[in-house]
Amino acid sequence: MTGGVLEGTVRRGLRMWRGIPYAAAPVGELRFRAPAAVTPWAGVRDASEFGPIAPQDRNGQFRVRTNAPMSEDCLTLNVIAPAEPGERMPVMVFVHGGAYSVGSAREIHKQGEGLVRSGGVIFVNFNYRLGALGYLDFSSFSTRSHRFDNNLGLRDQVAALEWVRDNIAAFGGDPANVTLFGESAGGNAVTTIMTVPRAGGLFARAIAQSAPPNAIYPSEITAGWAREYVELLSAAIDNTSTESTSPEDAGQLLMTAPVDQLVAATTKMQLRAPDETPGTIALAPVIDGEFVPERPLDAFKAGRAHRVPLIIGTNDREGSLFRGRLDILATTPPRIRAIFAKTRKRSRKAVKAQYPGLPAPRPAADFAGDYSFWYPSVKVAERHARFAPVYFYRFDIAPRLLRWAGLDATHGLELFALFDRMDGLFGRGIGAAGGRAAFKRAGVRMQRHWLSFARTGEVGSDWPRYTAKKRRTLIIDRTDRVEEDPRRARRVAWQEFVPHI
């Protein structure tokens, strides 16, 4: 343990430690730098309260429903263990989602408590840098006097895993039995970290829920986004242009800008990106040739990803959530045309046939969800299955109210099952019209699979391995079932449509 003693809390059979620093505060000269070691403390440190969350826009494109304090000094984690933990217990480390621009380790009330109570595991979650502070690549502005590191949020995540390796035994956890799991952007973190050389040996298994595995871009693209961002920031702060400004001046602007201005410029960029570069998100890891040596999908294909067992899957209708202010996917006619322009003409007809009525809103949402989440996840699964056990799932169950609303089993819904959220105010609301009890039962079964996997690497005899030949997939529904190559025609059409994936 870094420094002295941590004083946590005990509640309802659980021991909790919150707000533990896993890296130095990334402030001052450490802004836009890779995470540094924690400064040791002496004596007893109060670990009863969550740390501040990463700076984010409470009223931006993704509204943040929290009044939690924000600070650049946000690199803290939380640990939950049974009140009387055993020795060398399995550890589950969760990476939150939020499009790499919002979210925190405290956004889901009581997150992880159910897993610890029913599964005898140690649960860890953490904050990492978001937005421009964590996911824009300003390395092109580095000079001899000041360096801008890239992949900062990703480096934070690896630093949190290194903290777990070095310290979790003190909480009763087994550093050799760590399961890394995450959802949405957190799922992208999982599939990306599986290809980061420095992360080798930090986890024994991985779970990627609703990941967009291909949301990671080469440096020539990310450098352009960095220049565009500096333009937005400069215009907001002093009404000047930095189009021909030196790296020194751009760097000075980034280092001295107030954090609220950095966040505001991030929101502006997010609102523009889906139309300027359809099918991408500007806040994402970068293939830098060093920390991330290559595109993760290429690493999985060549067997260069860490060869650990993997659960991966998506929800039935990932794209239906992304409407209105949340619409960041390729859902509009111009965005869809831009995606089609990147592909071979002869393949477009087959894909269109899988989404009758495209580009009407419902088929457009399904097209966009499949493009960003489902099909790249299929490619990860089939490639990694050549080198390690893979289990693929599709989450289909949804309360009746969500079906009436046209959302169905949309993006993020499985978190309500996995983290026991149906007893909260929102969970009771979406279950009020029916289906709540069946949904909760599906959550119990899902937890059972996740916990078995965390303990042993196995998911149970009722869920066979996924291979490129059989493609057996667990469908989580009112009654679970296994299907062989579900949506085969759609998969084949996508294979021809985007052969680069």
Side-chain angles (χ1 to χ4, degrees):
M1 185 67 59
T2 302
V5 177
L6 291 171
E7 185 173 325
T9 59
V10 179
R11 181 169 63 84
R12 296 182 59 195
L14 298 177
R15 190 79 183 271
M16 303 179 186
W17 297 266
R18 293 170 170 165
I20 306 170
Y22 66 86
V27 299
E29 288 300 309
L30 293 182
R31 179 189 273 187
F32 299 114
R33 294 303 307 272
V38 174
T39 301
W41 66 86
V44 178
R45 182 187 181 97
D46 181 12
S48 62
E49 300 293 335
F50 290 109
I53 67 177
Q56 51 199 274
D57 195 339
R58 297 185 198 271
N59 298 302
Q61 185 173 18
F62 305 101
R63 288 196 175 125
V64 181
R65 294 187 179 92
T66 179
N67 292 319
M70 298 182 187
S71 172
E72 288 186 75
D73 182 5
C74 62
L75 302 185
T76 62
L77 54 75
N78 315 299
V79 179
I80 305 176
E84 297 182 4
E87 294 184 359
R88 304 182 67 81
M89 300 177 69
V91 183
M92 299 185 74
V93 180
F94 183 71
V95 188
H96 73 78
Y100 286 139
S101 60
V102 298
S104 73
R106 63 189 292 174
E107 64 180 326
I108 297 179
H109 186 53
K110 299 182 180 180
Q111 185 183 66
E113 292 185 17
L115 293 171
V116 175
R117 282 199 176 93
S118 61
V121 298
I122 306 286
F123 178 83
V124 179
N125 64 0
F126 58 93
N127 298 325
Y128 54 92
R129 281 173 282 184
L130 301 171
L133 288 162
Y135 281 94
L136 280 177
D137 175 16
F138 297 116
S139 59
S140 58
F141 298 124
S142 294
T143 64
R144 288 184 178 180
S145 60
H146 188 85
R147 175 185 174 92
F148 285 85
D149 294 321
N150 54 24
N151 282 316
L152 297 174
L154 188 66
R155 292 176 190 269
D156 293 344
Q157 293 155 7
V158 173
L161 287 169
E162 290 172 337
W163 184 96
V164 169
R165 176 198 61 198
D166 297 339
N167 297 284
I168 204 63
F171 300 84
D174 182 357
N177 190 7
V178 173
T179 296
L180 175 66
F181 71 128
E183 183 268 345
S184 191
N188 173 272
V190 170
T191 55
T192 304
I193 289 171
M194 288 180 70
T195 70
V196 171
R198 180 168 171 172
L202 295 179
F203 55 99
R205 311 176 238 295
I207 304 173
Q209 300 170 208
S210 299
N214 214 32
I216 178 168
Y217 308 106
S219 57
E220 56 266 26
I221 292 178
T222 61
W225 285 331
R227 290 191 296 270
E228 180 180 351
Y229 177 84
V230 169
E231 282 286 308
L232 290 169
L233 182 63
S234 178
I237 290 179
D238 55 18
N239 245 355
T240 63
S241 172
T242 60
E243 189 170 357
S244 58
T245 305
S246 68
E248 288 82 359
D249 290 340
Q252 179 70 10
L253 177 68
L254 289 167
M255 290 299 296
T256 58
V259 68
D260 59 338
Q261 293 282 9
L262 293 172
V263 170
T266 300
T267 298
K268 290 180 182 178
M269 189 166 186
Q270 276 185 307
L271 291 170
R272 293 166 54 166
D275 294 309
E276 291 183 348
T277 52
T280 67
I281 57 173
L283 301 173
V286 53
I287 305 163
D288 60 7
E290 180 187 356
F291 196 76
V292 183
E294 60 186 322
R295 190 178 71 131
L297 280 168
D298 293 336
F300 281 109
K301 185 175 183 179
R304 287 188 287 269
H306 302 305
R307 298 185 180 187
V308 299
L310 171 68
I311 290 176
I312 187 169
T314 58
N315 295 355
D316 181 35
R317 298 196 60 229
E318 291 282 353
S320 64
L321 178 71
F322 297 92
R323 52 176 74 168
R325 66 188 293 122
L326 299 179
D327 190 4
I328 61 173
L329 303 184
T331 53
T332 66
R335 297 176 192 175
I336 293 171
R337 285 197 295 271
I339 298 298
F340 274 35
K342 300 176 184 177
T343 66
R344 295 178 294 190
K345 184 180 295 186
R346 67 180 185 179
S347 304
R348 298 173 192 169
K349 185 176 181 181
V351 166
K352 286 182 179 180
Q354 297 298 317
Y355 306 92
L358 192 70
R362 183 181 177 95
D366 291 335
F367 168 87
D370 287 353
Y371 178 81
S372 294
F373 301 102
W374 171 71
Y375 184 64
S377 293
V378 167
K379 299 309 289 184
V380 169
E382 70 178 37
R383 291 173 180 182
H384 194 57
R386 295 174 53 209
F387 307 100
V390 172
Y391 303 92
F392 202 85
Y393 74 89
R394 194 180 76 211
F395 188 87
D396 278 21
I397 190 169
R400 189 173 299 158
L401 185 62
L402 294 187
R403 298 204 182 278
W404 288 349
L407 290 169
D408 304 301
T410 191
H411 186 72
L413 183 62
E414 89 287 0
L415 294 178
F416 283 81
L418 184 64
F419 290 128
D420 308 299
R421 297 181 66 186
M422 293 304 286
D423 289 329
L425 184 62
F426 188 75
R428 289 183 177 276
I430 63 175
R436 178 169 168 268
F439 190 90
K440 290 182 67 174
R441 288 193 295 270
V444 171
R445 297 191 301 272
M446 187 177 185
Q447 283 187 359
R448 190 181 304 131
H449 287 305
W450 266 231
L451 288 167
S452 174
F453 186 72
R455 286 190 295 263
T456 68
E458 301 291 338
V459 293
S461 59
D462 55 341
W463 187 356
R465 290 186 184 184
Y466 186 92
T467 65
K469 182 177 181 180
K470 294 286 188 179
R471 300 185 185 273
R472 289 174 293 192
T473 302
L474 177 70
I475 310 298
I476 302 173
D477 209 335
R478 294 181 69 91
T479 300
D480 295 349
R481 63 190 184 276
V482 172
E483 292 186 10
E484 189 170 301
D485 201 5
R487 296 175 177 167
R488 179 183 182 279
R490 187 177 293 189
R491 177 185 60 77
V492 172
W494 275 102
Q495 195 162 314
E496 293 296 318
F497 186 65
V498 282
H500 60 282
I501 291 183

